[in-house]
Amino acid sequence: MLLPGAEKYLNKSSRKIWTEQLANDRLILSQIDTAITFFNSPEGANGTVEYTIDTGQDRQTVKRENLSSLLATRSRLVSEIAQLERSLGLNGPAVRRIVPGY
């Protein structure tokens, strides 16, 4: 039995799924970086308190007071992107961990 929504992964390889996830993460990271830059710019510091993040799939309005949350999300995305790049072997040979089964 498949979980709801899992049918879209039936004919995809793990590499394809990871590659798509990497592209999505990079897009979201660029939007978050743009929002953080805006809030730290003279325009954002002069009273503008909202910014809309548009990933192409959805839009989300973030507020200047959520800056710490944006920074935490950015940190998680950077870690996930690095992990996906290592797994896909984009920065050298792919890293694999072999765990013996006891």
Side-chain angles (χ1 to χ4, degrees):
M1 178 174 108
L2 291 175
L3 294 173
E7 62 278 351
K8 65 183 175 180
Y9 298 105
L10 277 177
N11 297 319
K12 287 188 179 180
S13 68
S14 294
R15 183 168 186 84
K16 177 106 172 123
I17 292 169
W18 290 353
T19 302
E20 289 174 359
Q21 183 64 44
L22 180 60
N24 289 336
D25 285 356
R26 285 178 174 165
L27 175 64
I28 293 168
L29 179 63
S30 73
Q31 291 294 310
I32 287 175
D33 281 344
T34 303
I36 291 169
T37 301
F38 174 77
F39 286 136
N40 289 312
S41 71
E43 182 181 321
N46 284 338
T48 306
V49 294
E50 290 186 350
Y51 184 84
T52 301
I53 294 176
D54 186 357
T55 63
Q57 293 181 340
D58 75 355
R59 298 177 85 169
Q60 181 178 358
T61 301
V62 292
K63 297 184 180 208
R64 185 172 179 66
E65 62 203 34
N66 298 43
L67 192 55
S68 62
S69 175
L70 282 174
L71 291 169
T73 301
R74 184 190 186 283
S75 179
R76 284 192 304 274
L77 275 171
V78 167
S79 295
E80 184 172 322
I81 287 169
Q83 156 72 62
L84 287 167
E85 287 174 343
R86 280 191 305 273
S87 295
L88 290 167
L90 298 180
N91 296 329
V95 175
R96 301 282 185 253
R97 182 169 39 155
I98 300 173
V99 180
Y102 293 100

